[in-house]
Amino acid sequence: MGLTEQLGHPAPRQREAAARRVALRVWEPEAEEAIGAALVRAAGAETEPGALAAQLDALPSVEAGLTDGDLHRLGLVRSDSPVLARLLARAGRLQISAPVRPSGAATLAVVRCLRGAPRTGLWLRTPDGAWTVLERIELYGRAADRLDSGCTGRVLLSGPGARGLGEWERLDADPRPRECVRGLRAPDPRVRALAAAGAADAAGAAGTGGTGGTGGTGGTGGAAAPVVDPEAGRMLCAALARAAVAETDPAALESELAALLGLAPFLGPPHLALLYALDAATLPARPRTYLDALLRPGRTG
């Protein structure tokens, strides 16, 4: 019986065990999509608490394979899950649907949520790359902590991108991790190398803010751009490790291993298990140095 079938097994313990197995490997894109869809179906119908917790906890392991529709449908029935709340926040997109109005150092706007479920404290990006922070959400005159897909509300936005919002029609939660994952699957090695370099940039340095929901550093008009949260960092590590073991281009491999070294705090056993399959003796000097640093016992991170 395959893993997707086990996720729908009649016995709750079998379903729970199958969900826990999902996080123990890095999956190929096709398997990631199939397992993600099976997890969504299982979590949407689950009645046993232990199995449900395992299914929801496994979702970030196949995040790159989840569709916006999958997340939206599951969010309707599992709205109290913090794991799902983070995934929905990272998928957020807002459409500015009325003229914006300055409010001190911030900006008031009427927006419609096109996808995901953005939450207060979330960093959003304008189409030209400027950052803004979702400080407050009002629905029907009342404060809310999230804006669900399809809903329209009034929001207060701050940060360096807030003053120019009148020029734009939409705002997106940081799309860089998903863009990097897609780029690492491209047939052109130059695109893969650029995507790997972008993954390192997306990670930045350890800190606060990020796209994980509440707890952002809003209200600081000169605030730095957000950093990748741990779940997105692990998603990038999975994509980079998967790309590295299949890489045939030396420049792209160097970029992928260098990015993994920059993401070292997010590396876990499933990613390292893939990297052990690389034969260091056959690699050029710089990629070999990066691989040695990644696999060195006692590595920091």
Side-chain angles (χ1 to χ4, degrees):
M1 181 182 292
L3 189 58
T4 54
E5 289 81 9
Q6 283 183 297
L7 288 167
H9 196 280
R13 289 196 178 185
Q14 289 280 352
R15 297 196 298 273
E16 180 177 350
R20 297 195 186 284
R21 284 177 54 201
V22 171
L24 299 179
R25 281 183 53 191
V26 174
W27 304 95
E28 290 298 320
E30 295 79 10
E32 200 169 48
E33 292 170 6
I35 293 169
L39 272 174
V40 167
R41 288 194 300 271
E46 190 57 70
T47 57
E48 202 282 321
L52 177 60
Q55 290 155 0
L56 293 171
D57 287 345
L59 287 172
S61 300
V62 290
E63 181 177 356
L66 298 172
T67 68
D68 293 332
D70 285 339
L71 290 173
H72 175 64
R73 287 189 294 274
L74 190 54
L76 294 175
V77 294
R78 303 298 182 197
S79 59
D80 57 344
S81 164
V83 174
L84 190 54
R86 293 193 296 271
L87 295 178
L88 284 164
R90 286 203 288 273
R93 170 175 284 181
L94 297 177
Q95 180 183 51
I96 299 173
S97 53
V100 301
R101 180 163 60 89
S103 177
T107 299
L108 285 167
V110 176
V111 298
R112 178 175 176 79
C113 182
L114 299 181
R115 71 179 186 209
R119 304 177 74 86
T120 52
L122 182 69
W123 289 81
L124 297 158
R125 195 168 71 165
T126 65
D128 71 341
W131 293 102
T132 185
V133 184
L134 187 55
E135 294 279 9
R136 191 174 73 233
I137 301 170
E138 286 185 8
L139 290 172
Y140 309 108
R142 288 187 158 187
D145 68 346
R146 60 184 269 176
L147 189 62
D148 291 312
S149 182
C151 292
T152 298
R154 192 167 74 151
V155 298
L156 180 70
L157 297 147
S158 71
R163 295 179 186 83
L165 289 179
E167 303 176 22
W168 308 112
E169 294 182 353
R170 74 172 197 276
L171 299 169
D172 284 282
D174 188 0
R176 293 175 300 172
R178 282 177 177 261
E179 289 171 357
C180 291
V181 169
R182 286 193 293 268
L184 288 165
R185 298 173 181 174
D188 188 337
R190 293 169 297 182
V191 175
R192 297 196 297 272
L194 286 171
D201 291 342
T208 57
T211 56
T214 59
T217 53
T220 55
V227 299
V228 169
D229 62 283
E231 286 171 358
R234 287 190 288 269
M235 178 175 70
L236 287 168
C237 285
L240 286 161
R242 185 168 52 203
V245 296
E247 191 55 73
T248 57
D249 181 80
L253 177 61
E254 180 179 331
S255 185
E256 289 153 3
L257 293 175
L260 279 167
L261 202 55
L263 288 164
F266 308 121
L267 275 172
H271 318 126
L272 294 173
L274 278 178
L275 296 178
Y276 275 114
L278 286 169
D279 184 359
T282 65
L283 301 182
R286 287 178 67 86
R288 184 168 63 249
T289 299
Y290 293 141
L291 182 63
D292 288 345
L294 287 163
L295 300 182
R296 184 184 304 133
R299 171 185 53 81
T300 302

